[in-house]
Each structure stands twice: as structure tokens, then as C-alpha cells.
Amino acid sequence: MESQSLFSGFCSNSITPLYRNPQNPLSSSPPSLSYPCFNQSKYQVSFENQYFLSSQRLRSVRRLLCKNSVEKASNLVPEKEGSKSWVKRKRLAVFVSGGGSNFRSINQACIEGSVNGDVVVLVTNKHACGGSQYARDKGIPVILFPKTKDEPDGLSPDDLVKVLREFEVDFILLAGYLKLIPAELIRAYSRSIFNIHPSLLPSFGGKGYYGMKVHKAVIASGARYSGATIHFVDEHYDTGRILAQKIVPVLANDTAEELAARVLREEHKLYVEVTAALCEDRIVWREDGVPLIQSKENPEEYY
């Protein structure tokens, strides 16, 4: 069986009223204040080869050289072909704890142009992880969070929010980040933080369900299907509103490693698809609080 795409929140045949804030479709709150030094429409930013930020190096952010420049048309894309409306490129922060394969897929999609955005900063709780090294190789600034015994240079939650604001981050994408997101960050980025989980939530989710533990539990349960879920992040593990899912069949003789490999391939595709929708302002909310994705090909359809 081939994997099937399943975006959560199927619409009925009747017209469902949708709420959409014209300034920010993901939040009813007013847009956050940004720092003028990082205003992409006015400045070109250079990093002086400083790509690692910690609590002791927070001031290094101020080393950014702000040069007046005219915003290029490459920072904008039309909402749809022939339209006079334009959507500004979004600024993305990605959080990782390991190799960061989903991060790499998203960053590559941004570079190739299939996502109307750019990864402007990486956040990690492990300074030596593969995702962190990839970011440094690509010239993407790396922030260490949180502060722990093993990582004493990590930022506090309040400092993390300040730095992300200074980078003018629009959306936060968790891609294999294993720490609980603090309430300070969730309040600062309401309806703008997303996570990908390697099962069909709400099954096989919550504290302790990550990595190979998820796939072993799926196989042991006898479930015939697993998959990937992208959901909004709240103050608990894997309980936020589901935005999109992709189904992966569990084969009769699957090992956890085999299932994990197939799910991961679908994760890469799904996260890029959803990130593209985010960056094109195609997320809307149904009256009952269910988030939907607007079809790019047919704006009258939602998934």
C-alpha cells in the first residue's frame, strides 16, 4: 500500500464559516513589535562569522551590521499566479535535538523556492548535535536552549524570546526537539509554534513517546497504521490542535527500524508541505477551533 496523505479537519459539503485575521491568520492577537535593526524590508544583515549564541554571548547579537538597502522583489511572491497581492517571505526558527533531517528538508525547500520563507536561526539543547553542525555549515546562527548542567551556556526562556524577536521570527518549527516548550515562548508565539510527531496523534503521544519508542509501541499494539502528525504546540507534550497527518501502513513483519524509516520519509514531505502553506498564509480556523489548510490549487477547498 502506498502512503496516503490525510490533512486533519475534513470539511463537510456545507459551507463552514471560517475566521481569519487579515494581518495574521494564525492569531487573533495584534502583531508583535519587532526590532528595527532586524527589519528585513530596510536592512541587510551580516553576522561577522558569529554563528553560536549563548547566555554569555547574547550581546553578540548586537554585532549585527545593519546596512540600509532596498528590499528586493525576491523577498516577495504572489499569492497566486496573476494576482496583484503579494506575500512576504516568512522568517523561520527551527528547534532540533539530533541530526535534524526534517530541518535539512525544510531548509533545502526554502533554498530551492518551494517554501516562501527562510530558516534564520536554529535552536538546540545540544550544541554538538548533527542539526547544529549542519546549521553552522550553512551559515545559520545557532542558539543554545535551555540552560542545564550539561549546557551551562544555554539561554533563559525570557532571553530566548528576546533573541527570536530580534531575528523577527514568524513561525517556530520543532523538528525532533525533545524539551518541553516553556510557557513564556508559547505566550509570545501564540498559534505560531508547530511540532512533528512520528505517529497518528492522539495515539502514541505524550511524555516519553519519542523516537524509536513510538515505533516499538505501535508494532506491539498491533495497530495496522501509523504515520506522522503536525500539530500546534501548547504547554504539554503532543496535545495541541492537529493540523495535518500522513498515514503509513504497518506491515506484518515490520521491525521498529523499518517502520521508523518509512515514517521519516513521509515526515520530510509532510513538513515541507505544511511549512509551504504556513508561509503562504493558507492556514485558517473553523468556528469550532479546528485549523484547516487552504488548497493552493483551489482556494475554495480546505483540508
Short mmCIF file of all heavy atoms in Angstrom, two decimals, residues 47-64 96 120-129 131-137 139-147 150-155 163 167:
data_model
loop_
_atom_site.label_atom_id
_atom_site.label_comp_id
_atom_site.label_asym_id
_atom_site.label_seq_id
_atom_site.Cartn_x
_atom_site.Cartn_y
_atom_site.Cartn_z
N PHE A 47 26.58 38.78 9.75
CA PHE A 47 26.81 38.20 11.06
C PHE A 47 28.25 38.17 11.55
O PHE A 47 28.54 37.63 12.59
CB PHE A 47 26.26 36.76 11.10
CG PHE A 47 24.79 36.73 11.28
CD1 PHE A 47 23.95 36.82 10.19
CD2 PHE A 47 24.23 36.65 12.53
CE1 PHE A 47 22.58 36.80 10.36
CE2 PHE A 47 22.87 36.63 12.70
CZ PHE A 47 22.04 36.70 11.62
N GLU A 48 29.21 38.69 10.83
CA GLU A 48 30.59 38.73 11.27
C GLU A 48 31.08 37.36 11.77
O GLU A 48 31.83 37.24 12.74
CB GLU A 48 30.79 39.74 12.41
CG GLU A 48 30.63 41.18 11.99
CD GLU A 48 31.05 42.14 13.09
OE1 GLU A 48 30.80 41.84 14.26
OE2 GLU A 48 31.66 43.16 12.76
N ASN A 49 30.66 36.30 11.09
CA ASN A 49 31.10 34.95 11.41
C ASN A 49 30.74 34.50 12.83
O ASN A 49 31.36 33.61 13.38
CB ASN A 49 32.61 34.82 11.21
CG ASN A 49 33.00 35.03 9.78
OD1 ASN A 49 32.29 34.60 8.88
ND2 ASN A 49 34.13 35.69 9.55
N GLN A 50 29.75 35.14 13.46
CA GLN A 50 29.34 34.74 14.81
C GLN A 50 28.06 33.92 14.68
O GLN A 50 26.98 34.46 14.51
CB GLN A 50 29.09 35.98 15.67
CG GLN A 50 28.66 35.65 17.10
CD GLN A 50 29.74 34.93 17.87
OE1 GLN A 50 30.90 35.25 17.76
NE2 GLN A 50 29.37 33.93 18.62
N TYR A 51 28.18 32.58 14.76
CA TYR A 51 27.04 31.73 14.48
C TYR A 51 26.56 30.95 15.70
O TYR A 51 25.68 30.13 15.59
CB TYR A 51 27.38 30.75 13.36
CG TYR A 51 27.62 31.42 12.04
CD1 TYR A 51 28.80 31.22 11.36
CD2 TYR A 51 26.68 32.28 11.50
CE1 TYR A 51 29.03 31.85 10.15
CE2 TYR A 51 26.90 32.91 10.30
CZ TYR A 51 28.08 32.69 9.63
OH TYR A 51 28.31 33.32 8.44
N PHE A 52 27.16 31.17 16.86
CA PHE A 52 26.70 30.46 18.05
C PHE A 52 26.34 31.46 19.12
O PHE A 52 27.17 32.29 19.50
CB PHE A 52 27.77 29.50 18.56
CG PHE A 52 27.33 28.71 19.76
CD1 PHE A 52 26.51 27.62 19.59
CD2 PHE A 52 27.69 29.08 21.04
CE1 PHE A 52 26.07 26.88 20.69
CE2 PHE A 52 27.26 28.37 22.14
CZ PHE A 52 26.45 27.26 21.95
N LEU A 53 25.11 31.41 19.61
CA LEU A 53 24.64 32.37 20.60
C LEU A 53 24.32 31.65 21.90
O LEU A 53 23.62 30.65 21.90
CB LEU A 53 23.40 33.10 20.09
CG LEU A 53 23.56 33.83 18.77
CD1 LEU A 53 22.23 34.44 18.37
CD2 LEU A 53 24.61 34.90 18.87
N SER A 54 24.83 32.11 23.00
CA SER A 54 24.53 31.54 24.30
C SER A 54 24.24 32.69 25.25
O SER A 54 24.27 33.85 24.88
CB SER A 54 25.71 30.72 24.82
OG SER A 54 26.81 31.58 25.07
N SER A 55 23.97 32.36 26.53
CA SER A 55 23.68 33.41 27.50
C SER A 55 24.87 34.36 27.67
O SER A 55 24.70 35.55 27.90
CB SER A 55 23.32 32.79 28.86
OG SER A 55 24.37 31.98 29.33
N GLN A 56 26.08 33.83 27.56
CA GLN A 56 27.26 34.66 27.70
C GLN A 56 27.56 35.45 26.43
O GLN A 56 28.33 36.39 26.45
CB GLN A 56 28.47 33.79 28.05
CG GLN A 56 28.36 33.11 29.40
CD GLN A 56 29.56 32.23 29.70
OE1 GLN A 56 30.37 31.98 28.82
NE2 GLN A 56 29.66 31.78 30.94
N ARG A 57 26.94 35.06 25.33
CA ARG A 57 27.22 35.72 24.07
C ARG A 57 26.00 36.45 23.52
O ARG A 57 25.93 36.75 22.33
CB ARG A 57 27.70 34.69 23.04
CG ARG A 57 28.94 33.95 23.52
CD ARG A 57 29.35 32.90 22.52
NE ARG A 57 30.48 32.12 23.03
CZ ARG A 57 30.99 31.07 22.41
NH1 ARG A 57 30.49 30.69 21.25
NH2 ARG A 57 32.00 30.41 22.91
N LEU A 58 25.03 36.69 24.38
CA LEU A 58 23.80 37.33 23.93
C LEU A 58 24.10 38.68 23.30
O LEU A 58 23.45 39.09 22.35
CB LEU A 58 22.85 37.48 25.11
CG LEU A 58 21.45 38.03 24.81
CD1 LEU A 58 20.76 37.17 23.76
CD2 LEU A 58 20.63 38.07 26.08
N ARG A 59 25.10 39.37 23.83
CA ARG A 59 25.41 40.67 23.27
C ARG A 59 25.95 40.59 21.85
O ARG A 59 25.99 41.59 21.14
CB ARG A 59 26.44 41.38 24.16
CG ARG A 59 25.87 41.80 25.51
CD ARG A 59 26.89 42.59 26.29
NE ARG A 59 26.36 42.99 27.59
CZ ARG A 59 27.05 43.67 28.49
NH1 ARG A 59 28.30 44.03 28.23
NH2 ARG A 59 26.49 44.00 29.64
N SER A 60 26.41 39.39 21.45
CA SER A 60 26.94 39.26 20.09
C SER A 60 25.88 39.52 19.04
O SER A 60 26.18 39.84 17.89
CB SER A 60 27.51 37.85 19.87
OG SER A 60 26.50 36.89 19.98
N VAL A 61 24.58 39.37 19.44
CA VAL A 61 23.51 39.69 18.51
C VAL A 61 23.60 41.14 18.09
O VAL A 61 23.29 41.52 16.96
CB VAL A 61 22.13 39.42 19.17
CG1 VAL A 61 21.01 39.86 18.26
CG2 VAL A 61 22.00 37.94 19.48
N ARG A 62 24.04 41.98 19.04
CA ARG A 62 24.13 43.40 18.74
C ARG A 62 25.24 43.71 17.73
O ARG A 62 25.37 44.84 17.26
CB ARG A 62 24.40 44.20 20.03
CG ARG A 62 23.36 43.95 21.12
CD ARG A 62 21.94 44.27 20.66
NE ARG A 62 21.01 44.28 21.77
CZ ARG A 62 20.42 43.21 22.24
NH1 ARG A 62 20.68 42.05 21.72
NH2 ARG A 62 19.56 43.31 23.23
N ARG A 63 26.09 42.71 17.42
CA ARG A 63 27.16 42.94 16.46
C ARG A 63 26.66 42.93 15.02
O ARG A 63 27.42 43.15 14.08
CB ARG A 63 28.24 41.86 16.60
CG ARG A 63 28.94 41.88 17.96
CD ARG A 63 29.94 40.76 18.02
NE ARG A 63 30.54 40.65 19.35
CZ ARG A 63 31.34 39.65 19.70
NH1 ARG A 63 31.64 38.70 18.85
NH2 ARG A 63 31.84 39.62 20.92
N LEU A 64 25.38 42.57 14.86
CA LEU A 64 24.84 42.53 13.51
C LEU A 64 25.01 43.88 12.84
O LEU A 64 24.73 44.92 13.42
CB LEU A 64 23.35 42.17 13.55
CG LEU A 64 23.06 40.79 14.11
CD1 LEU A 64 21.58 40.56 14.19
CD2 LEU A 64 23.70 39.74 13.26
N VAL A 96 15.92 21.75 17.14
CA VAL A 96 16.32 20.35 16.99
C VAL A 96 17.08 19.87 18.21
O VAL A 96 17.63 20.67 18.97
CB VAL A 96 17.20 20.14 15.73
CG1 VAL A 96 16.51 20.65 14.47
CG2 VAL A 96 18.56 20.80 15.90
N VAL A 120 16.10 31.34 9.61
CA VAL A 120 17.00 32.42 10.01
C VAL A 120 17.76 32.12 11.29
O VAL A 120 18.74 32.80 11.61
CB VAL A 120 16.25 33.75 10.15
CG1 VAL A 120 15.65 34.18 8.82
CG2 VAL A 120 15.16 33.66 11.22
N VAL A 121 17.33 31.08 12.02
CA VAL A 121 18.03 30.72 13.26
C VAL A 121 17.66 29.29 13.65
O VAL A 121 16.54 28.84 13.40
CB VAL A 121 17.69 31.71 14.40
CG1 VAL A 121 16.21 31.65 14.75
CG2 VAL A 121 18.56 31.47 15.63
N LEU A 122 18.62 28.59 14.24
CA LEU A 122 18.39 27.24 14.77
C LEU A 122 18.54 27.28 16.28
O LEU A 122 19.45 27.91 16.81
CB LEU A 122 19.40 26.26 14.19
CG LEU A 122 19.19 24.81 14.69
CD1 LEU A 122 18.20 24.09 13.78
CD2 LEU A 122 20.50 24.04 14.77
N VAL A 123 17.63 26.59 16.98
CA VAL A 123 17.69 26.47 18.44
C VAL A 123 17.90 25.00 18.77
O VAL A 123 17.22 24.13 18.22
CB VAL A 123 16.40 27.00 19.09
CG1 VAL A 123 16.45 26.80 20.61
CG2 VAL A 123 16.19 28.47 18.75
N THR A 124 18.83 24.73 19.68
CA THR A 124 19.10 23.35 20.06
C THR A 124 19.45 23.26 21.53
O THR A 124 19.91 24.24 22.13
CB THR A 124 20.27 22.76 19.23
OG1 THR A 124 20.48 21.39 19.61
CG2 THR A 124 21.55 23.55 19.45
N ASN A 125 19.20 22.10 22.13
CA ASN A 125 19.62 21.86 23.51
C ASN A 125 20.93 21.07 23.56
O ASN A 125 21.43 20.75 24.63
CB ASN A 125 18.53 21.10 24.28
CG ASN A 125 18.24 19.74 23.68
OD1 ASN A 125 17.99 19.63 22.47
ND2 ASN A 125 18.24 18.70 24.49
N LYS A 126 21.50 20.77 22.37
CA LYS A 126 22.75 20.01 22.29
C LYS A 126 23.65 20.69 21.25
O LYS A 126 23.44 20.53 20.04
CB LYS A 126 22.48 18.56 21.89
CG LYS A 126 21.65 17.79 22.92
CD LYS A 126 21.43 16.36 22.48
CE LYS A 126 20.61 15.57 23.52
NZ LYS A 126 20.39 14.17 23.09
N HIS A 127 24.66 21.40 21.73
CA HIS A 127 25.46 22.23 20.82
C HIS A 127 26.24 21.41 19.80
O HIS A 127 26.59 21.92 18.74
CB HIS A 127 26.43 23.10 21.63
CG HIS A 127 27.59 22.34 22.21
ND1 HIS A 127 27.52 21.70 23.43
CD2 HIS A 127 28.85 22.14 21.74
CE1 HIS A 127 28.68 21.13 23.68
NE2 HIS A 127 29.50 21.37 22.69
N ALA A 128 26.48 20.12 20.10
CA ALA A 128 27.28 19.30 19.19
C ALA A 128 26.44 18.37 18.32
O ALA A 128 27.00 17.52 17.62
CB ALA A 128 28.30 18.48 19.99
N CYS A 129 25.13 18.51 18.32
CA CYS A 129 24.28 17.59 17.55
C CYS A 129 24.45 17.83 16.05
O CYS A 129 24.93 18.88 15.61
CB CYS A 129 22.82 17.72 17.96
SG CYS A 129 22.03 19.26 17.47
N GLY A 131 22.25 18.43 13.72
CA GLY A 131 21.50 19.56 13.18
C GLY A 131 22.21 20.88 13.43
O GLY A 131 22.21 21.77 12.57
N SER A 132 22.85 21.01 14.58
CA SER A 132 23.60 22.22 14.91
C SER A 132 24.80 22.39 13.98
O SER A 132 25.08 23.49 13.50
CB SER A 132 24.05 22.16 16.37
OG SER A 132 24.84 23.27 16.70
N GLN A 133 25.49 21.30 13.73
CA GLN A 133 26.65 21.37 12.83
C GLN A 133 26.23 21.73 11.41
O GLN A 133 26.89 22.53 10.74
CB GLN A 133 27.39 20.03 12.82
CG GLN A 133 28.68 20.05 11.99
CD GLN A 133 29.65 21.10 12.47
OE1 GLN A 133 30.01 21.14 13.65
NE2 GLN A 133 30.09 21.98 11.57
N TYR A 134 25.11 21.15 10.95
CA TYR A 134 24.60 21.48 9.62
C TYR A 134 24.27 22.97 9.52
O TYR A 134 24.59 23.62 8.52
CB TYR A 134 23.35 20.64 9.33
CG TYR A 134 22.61 21.04 8.07
CD1 TYR A 134 23.00 20.56 6.82
CD2 TYR A 134 21.51 21.89 8.12
CE1 TYR A 134 22.32 20.91 5.67
CE2 TYR A 134 20.83 22.26 6.98
CZ TYR A 134 21.23 21.76 5.76
OH TYR A 134 20.55 22.13 4.62
N ALA A 135 23.64 23.51 10.57
CA ALA A 135 23.29 24.93 10.56
C ALA A 135 24.54 25.80 10.46
O ALA A 135 24.59 26.75 9.67
CB ALA A 135 22.50 25.28 11.82
N ARG A 136 25.56 25.47 11.25
CA ARG A 136 26.78 26.27 11.20
C ARG A 136 27.44 26.18 9.84
O ARG A 136 27.97 27.18 9.32
CB ARG A 136 27.74 25.82 12.31
CG ARG A 136 27.31 26.29 13.70
CD ARG A 136 28.41 26.07 14.73
NE ARG A 136 28.52 24.67 15.10
CZ ARG A 136 27.87 24.12 16.13
NH1 ARG A 136 27.07 24.87 16.88
NH2 ARG A 136 28.03 22.85 16.42
N ASP A 137 27.38 25.00 9.23
CA ASP A 137 27.96 24.83 7.88
C ASP A 137 27.23 25.69 6.86
O ASP A 137 27.83 26.14 5.87
CB ASP A 137 27.90 23.37 7.46
CG ASP A 137 28.86 22.49 8.26
OD1 ASP A 137 29.78 23.05 8.90
OD2 ASP A 137 28.69 21.26 8.24
N GLY A 139 25.80 28.57 7.58
CA GLY A 139 25.81 29.97 7.98
C GLY A 139 24.56 30.41 8.72
O GLY A 139 24.26 31.60 8.76
N ILE A 140 23.85 29.46 9.32
CA ILE A 140 22.64 29.78 10.08
C ILE A 140 23.01 29.91 11.55
O ILE A 140 23.62 29.00 12.13
CB ILE A 140 21.56 28.68 9.90
CG1 ILE A 140 21.16 28.57 8.43
CG2 ILE A 140 20.34 28.96 10.77
CD1 ILE A 140 20.25 27.39 8.12
N PRO A 141 22.68 31.03 12.20
CA PRO A 141 23.02 31.20 13.62
C PRO A 141 22.41 30.10 14.48
O PRO A 141 21.29 29.64 14.22
CB PRO A 141 22.42 32.56 13.97
CG PRO A 141 22.30 33.27 12.67
CD PRO A 141 22.01 32.22 11.64
N VAL A 142 23.14 29.68 15.51
CA VAL A 142 22.70 28.61 16.41
C VAL A 142 22.56 29.17 17.82
O VAL A 142 23.47 29.83 18.34
CB VAL A 142 23.71 27.45 16.41
CG1 VAL A 142 23.31 26.39 17.44
CG2 VAL A 142 23.81 26.83 15.02
N ILE A 143 21.42 28.92 18.44
CA ILE A 143 21.13 29.34 19.81
C ILE A 143 21.02 28.11 20.69
O ILE A 143 20.37 27.12 20.32
CB ILE A 143 19.83 30.15 19.89
CG1 ILE A 143 19.97 31.47 19.13
CG2 ILE A 143 19.43 30.42 21.33
CD1 ILE A 143 18.67 32.24 19.04
N LEU A 144 21.64 28.16 21.86
CA LEU A 144 21.58 27.05 22.81
C LEU A 144 20.50 27.32 23.84
O LEU A 144 20.49 28.36 24.50
CB LEU A 144 22.94 26.89 23.49
CG LEU A 144 23.15 25.64 24.33
CD1 LEU A 144 22.99 24.39 23.48
CD2 LEU A 144 24.54 25.67 24.96
N PHE A 145 19.57 26.37 23.97
CA PHE A 145 18.47 26.49 24.93
C PHE A 145 17.97 25.10 25.29
O PHE A 145 17.84 24.24 24.43
CB PHE A 145 17.32 27.30 24.31
CG PHE A 145 16.10 27.37 25.21
CD1 PHE A 145 16.04 28.28 26.25
CD2 PHE A 145 15.04 26.49 25.03
CE1 PHE A 145 14.94 28.33 27.09
CE2 PHE A 145 13.94 26.51 25.88
CZ PHE A 145 13.90 27.45 26.90
N PRO A 146 17.66 24.85 26.59
CA PRO A 146 17.74 25.75 27.74
C PRO A 146 19.08 25.63 28.44
O PRO A 146 19.95 24.86 28.02
CB PRO A 146 16.62 25.23 28.64
CG PRO A 146 16.65 23.75 28.39
CD PRO A 146 16.97 23.58 26.93
N LYS A 147 19.24 26.39 29.52
CA LYS A 147 20.43 26.30 30.35
C LYS A 147 20.31 25.10 31.27
O LYS A 147 19.33 24.95 32.00
CB LYS A 147 20.59 27.58 31.17
CG LYS A 147 21.84 27.63 32.02
CD LYS A 147 21.95 28.97 32.73
CE LYS A 147 23.24 29.06 33.54
NZ LYS A 147 23.38 30.37 34.19
N ASP A 150 24.52 20.24 31.79
CA ASP A 150 25.34 19.82 30.64
C ASP A 150 25.59 20.96 29.67
O ASP A 150 26.59 20.95 28.94
CB ASP A 150 24.65 18.67 29.90
CG ASP A 150 24.58 17.40 30.74
OD1 ASP A 150 25.46 17.22 31.59
OD2 ASP A 150 23.63 16.62 30.55
N GLU A 151 24.68 21.93 29.63
CA GLU A 151 24.81 23.08 28.70
C GLU A 151 24.64 24.38 29.50
O GLU A 151 23.62 25.05 29.44
CB GLU A 151 23.75 22.99 27.59
CG GLU A 151 23.81 21.73 26.73
CD GLU A 151 25.04 21.71 25.81
OE1 GLU A 151 25.87 22.64 25.89
OE2 GLU A 151 25.16 20.77 25.03
N PRO A 152 25.66 24.75 30.27
CA PRO A 152 25.54 25.93 31.15
C PRO A 152 25.44 27.25 30.40
O PRO A 152 25.09 28.27 31.00
CB PRO A 152 26.82 25.87 31.99
CG PRO A 152 27.79 25.10 31.15
CD PRO A 152 26.98 24.09 30.41
N ASP A 153 25.75 27.24 29.11
CA ASP A 153 25.67 28.48 28.32
C ASP A 153 24.30 28.71 27.71
O ASP A 153 24.11 29.67 26.95
CB ASP A 153 26.71 28.47 27.20
CG ASP A 153 28.13 28.64 27.73
OD1 ASP A 153 28.27 29.22 28.82
OD2 ASP A 153 29.07 28.18 27.07
N GLY A 154 23.34 27.85 28.01
CA GLY A 154 22.01 27.98 27.42
C GLY A 154 21.30 29.23 27.88
O GLY A 154 21.54 29.77 28.98
N LEU A 155 20.37 29.71 27.06
CA LEU A 155 19.60 30.91 27.37
C LEU A 155 18.45 30.60 28.33
O LEU A 155 17.97 29.46 28.40
CB LEU A 155 19.03 31.52 26.09
CG LEU A 155 20.01 32.01 25.03
CD1 LEU A 155 19.24 32.64 23.88
CD2 LEU A 155 21.02 32.98 25.60
N VAL A 163 15.68 37.08 21.82
CA VAL A 163 16.53 36.82 20.65
C VAL A 163 15.67 36.47 19.43
O VAL A 163 15.93 36.96 18.32
CB VAL A 163 17.54 35.70 20.95
CG1 VAL A 163 18.28 35.30 19.67
CG2 VAL A 163 18.54 36.15 22.01
N PHE A 167 15.39 38.41 15.77
CA PHE A 167 15.51 37.79 14.45
C PHE A 167 14.22 37.92 13.63
O PHE A 167 14.15 37.44 12.51
CB PHE A 167 15.89 36.31 14.58
CG PHE A 167 17.35 36.07 14.78
CD1 PHE A 167 17.85 35.77 16.02
CD2 PHE A 167 18.24 36.17 13.72
CE1 PHE A 167 19.21 35.56 16.23
CE2 PHE A 167 19.59 35.94 13.90
CZ PHE A 167 20.08 35.64 15.16
#
